[in-house]
Amino acid sequence: MTLLAALLISGCSSQGKGSGEVELKLGFYSSAQSDEKMQELITKFQEKHPNIKIKTESSPYNQFFQKLDTQIAAESAPDIWLSDGVLVPKYAERGVLKDLTEWIQRDLKSEEYYGLDFNKDASGKYWGVPQGIQIAVLYYNKDMFDEAQVDYPIEDWTWDDLKAAAEKLTKDSNGKYAVDSSFDKNKISQYGLTFFSITEGWMTVLKSYGGGVLNDTLDQSIIHSPENKAALDWIVDGMQRELFPTPSDLKSFQSNMALFPSKAAAMRIGIYARTIDANNAGLNYDVSLLPMGPDGIRFSPVIANSWVINKKADGAVADAAWEWVKFWATEDEVQKEWASLGEAVPVKKSVANSEQFLNGSPANKQAFLDSFEFAGTLDVNAVWSEWVGKFNDNINRAFEGEIPVDQAMIQADQEVQKVLDEFYKK
């Protein structure tokens, strides 16, 4: 309650400096891979806008967002910051962000961009402009497929087709595949599919089976449904047969993301950023569209990491913040330079469809772009982090075989709805 009240009175500290000079406080979560490029782009922006002086505030992901909440409460948040796409509704619904609708409609052509509408709320207001897009596809290790003599994934695969392939690719420490009668599922050396998290796992399956977690207005749980039951049964079956690792299996690895690049899994559901680890590991791999559900539904989760502007920024400071957003969104050279890092699909279609993006590994980068046809968000709302935690607490117990799927669904439904009610019924 204290944080909510504080968020509602957030503010900004930068001011016009007189004589046409403006100081703009810009925040972003940093990484060793991207910091140098960000600084280069800031320098280029200031060369084009000598009246705007940018003061940066950055730190690693977790620390950045922890500090941001404190800054918002203390009315010292940046004038503009880079938000994880799943957190944009958190700030928007708490009244922290500036409504960008008029500026976007005036200066940007929506048909030229991927993901612009993923920051639009139910009333049609825009709260951010994507900096880069993460969208999921199916990754597969071609060497492992060749060794097991399994055909590579094709675009009309269903989830059952994937599981049949996973059975042929899951191997024990004796070199026996899961289709062999002497296969020992207690001695797995290679999984058919690695699978975890809402982003790179269960939400894709739920949605493609016709289910999901929240309703269209994102304030009611729809967890307890026949469609979700079928999807979760499919997942649990794969885990019980050790074709996919369980959450506890994943704990034996350095990280949940390590299995595919370390060749402990032949396939994975992965966002675009995962190409970096796969390329660095020197894998012989490619990507394909995610499989379809039993009724032909396909779903690819998307996260639009975005620039957002502090609601309290006004006058020359707000104008300067929007100039930064336009610089990032409209200039091909900026998009190309950021795309060279390989950590996100470019927002501007002209760059994303250029040879500069499509060349290189994996060979079928077009799959990322084709996936926008059936892309959707992760039911993100103001309490996304909270309800995901409640869902995971219950559904992971079903994944581990501790409780039946039906029981996990009932408990998750009740606990997720309680989170929603506590925020939306105040």
Side-chain angles (χ1 to χ4, degrees):
M1 184 65 186
T2 302
L3 175 61
L4 174 60
L7 289 166
L8 289 169
I9 58 171
S10 67
C12 70
S13 59
S14 299
Q15 300 292 328
K17 304 292 286 183
S19 304
E21 294 185 1
V22 179
E23 181 178 279
L24 182 67
K25 192 160 70 172
L26 184 148
F28 59 92
Y29 45 94
S30 61
S31 72
Q33 179 194 2
S34 63
D35 280 3
E36 182 178 354
K37 181 62 67 179
M38 182 69 81
Q39 290 299 333
E40 288 178 13
L41 293 174
I42 288 171
T43 299
K44 289 185 178 182
F45 174 79
Q46 291 184 132
E47 289 172 352
K48 297 189 70 170
H49 301 275
N51 63 313
I52 300 174
K53 179 182 179 182
I54 290 184
K55 180 181 178 182
T56 61
E57 290 193 1
S58 66
S59 52
Y61 182 92
N62 288 334
Q63 293 94 317
F64 177 78
F65 286 104
Q66 288 172 2
K67 182 180 178 183
L68 181 62
D69 282 347
T70 302
Q71 288 178 311
I72 289 171
E75 302 186 28
S76 60
D79 303 305
I80 179 170
W81 68 85
L82 177 60
S83 176
D84 189 316
V86 298
L87 298 179
V88 173
K90 166 185 172 180
Y91 303 120
E93 293 186 41
R94 287 171 167 82
V96 177
L97 302 184
K98 186 175 287 296
D99 177 1
L100 303 181
T101 308
E102 289 188 7
W103 287 347
I104 288 174
Q105 292 175 342
R106 182 191 67 196
D107 294 336
L108 304 180
K109 296 177 181 177
S110 60
E111 66 273 16
E112 294 181 353
Y113 297 92
Y114 288 116
L116 200 58
D117 285 351
F118 290 126
N119 287 318
K120 190 163 66 174
D121 66 17
S123 64
K125 292 181 178 178
Y126 288 93
W127 298 103
V129 174
Q131 171 252 22
I133 302 286
Q134 297 297 340
I135 188 163
V137 296
L138 178 66
Y139 287 64
Y140 62 96
N141 185 312
K142 296 170 73 173
D143 287 342
M144 290 181 176
F145 272 71
D146 291 342
E147 181 187 1
Q149 298 183 331
V150 177
D151 291 337
Y152 297 156
I154 56 176
E155 294 187 355
D156 61 358
W157 260 18
T158 65
W159 288 105
D160 284 341
D161 292 325
L162 180 148
K163 186 179 282 183
E167 188 175 17
K168 298 174 183 175
L169 290 155
T170 300
K171 190 164 63 173
D172 67 19
S173 57
N174 296 318
K176 301 294 184 183
Y177 289 101
V179 291
D180 192 306
S181 59
S182 59
F183 168 74
D184 186 348
K185 71 174 188 178
N186 296 312
K187 296 179 179 178
I188 300 295
S189 65
Q190 172 183 306
Y191 291 98
L193 172 75
T194 183
F195 182 101
F196 69 94
S197 88
I198 177 173
T199 310
E200 302 177 61
W202 51 259
M203 182 64 97
T204 293
V205 186
L206 263 58
K207 292 267 188 178
S208 58
Y209 269 75
V213 176
L214 304 184
N215 65 348
D216 290 342
T217 53
L218 304 173
D219 58 358
Q220 293 289 319
S221 168
I222 58 167
I223 292 171
H224 196 201
S225 72
E227 293 82 4
N228 284 337
K229 172 71 164 54
L232 292 169
D233 281 344
W234 183 91
I235 296 170
V236 170
D237 171 71
M239 291 183 173
Q240 288 180 341
R241 295 164 61 194
E242 297 291 344
L243 308 179
F244 326 146
T246 64
S248 60
D249 291 330
L250 292 171
K251 291 179 181 176
S252 62
F253 293 87
Q254 188 174 17
S255 81
N256 289 344
M257 294 177 282
L259 278 72
F260 187 76
S262 67
K263 302 181 182 179
M267 295 181 282
R268 67 164 298 168
I269 298 169
I271 57 177
Y272 181 75
R274 305 306 172 222
T275 61
I276 296 174
D277 289 341
N279 289 336
N280 289 342
L283 296 187
N284 179 23
Y285 79 105
D286 208 342
V287 299
S288 181
L289 299 184
L290 287 164
M292 296 178 287
D295 294 326
I297 300 173
R298 204 192 307 263
F299 177 79
S300 183
V302 68
I303 298 174
N305 298 325
S306 298
W307 294 111
V308 297
I309 299 178
N310 192 321
K311 185 176 183 179
K312 296 296 183 181
D314 58 14
V317 175
D319 291 341
W322 182 244
E323 285 301 321
W324 169 260
V325 174
K326 285 199 300 180
F327 171 75
W328 197 280
T330 63
E331 300 205 15
D332 282 12
E333 192 57 34
V334 176
Q335 293 263 314
K336 287 178 180 177
E337 289 202 30
W338 193 253
S340 68
L341 297 176
E343 64 89 46
V345 176
V347 174
K348 199 170 184 184
K349 291 181 179 178
S350 59
V351 178
N353 285 278
S354 70
E355 290 302 310
Q356 182 163 351
F357 173 73
L358 293 173
N359 283 344
S361 182
N364 187 27
K365 283 187 180 176
Q366 184 65 41
F368 291 100
L369 306 185
D370 292 344
S371 295
F372 281 105
E373 182 181 343
F374 45 86
T377 67
L378 295 162
D379 289 355
V380 289
N381 64 2
V383 287
W384 185 83
S385 299
E386 290 88 338
W387 72 248
V388 169
K390 297 298 183 184
F391 185 93
N392 283 339
D393 288 345
N394 288 288
I395 240 60
N396 282 351
R397 295 184 65 197
F399 290 167
E400 298 290 356
E402 296 174 3
I403 58 176
V405 167
D406 281 315
Q407 183 181 343
M409 291 170 61
I410 291 170
Q411 292 177 187
D413 185 73
Q414 293 171 345
E415 293 183 20
V416 167
Q417 190 59 53
K418 183 179 179 184
V419 169
L420 299 170
D421 289 345
E422 286 177 350
F423 183 82
Y424 289 107
K425 290 189 175 181
K426 284 182 178 178

